Amino acid sequence: MRDIASSAEGELMAVINENVSDSGVERWVRLAYIRDATGLEFTTAVRNIVPAEYVEAPEGCLDRR
């Protein structure tokens, strides 16, 4: 998988619904956990991941709903 925000690539390990709030009000987001070739795992929003073979298109052509 590729994180379109950073162009980092790796294997999708998990997708979870996580509370990311640092206050009393809950804020839940879907996070993708991706492991890169060195074994380092990073997170990104699920909406930011695409298959590694994805050919980049102009931003205006992407449907981000």
Side-chain angles (χ1 to χ4, degrees):
M1 299 303 291
R2 177 182 295 147
D3 174 18
I4 60 174
S6 68
S7 297
E9 292 186 10
E11 181 180 356
L12 180 64
M13 304 307 293
V15 173
I16 63 168
N17 197 27
E18 187 170 319
N19 182 1
V20 296
S21 175
D22 61 355
S23 66
V25 178
E26 293 183 349
R27 181 168 175 254
W28 294 86
V29 296
R30 291 180 63 204
L31 291 177
Y33 282 76
I34 300 173
R35 182 178 296 160
D36 70 10
T38 67
L40 179 68
E41 287 193 11
F42 61 93
T43 61
T44 189
V46 169
R47 295 180 76 173
N48 282 349
I49 60 173
V50 295
E53 302 82 24
Y54 178 76
V55 177
E56 293 191 27
E59 286 292 323
C61 296
L62 298 176
D63 181 12
R64 291 286 167 203
R65 282 186 243 157

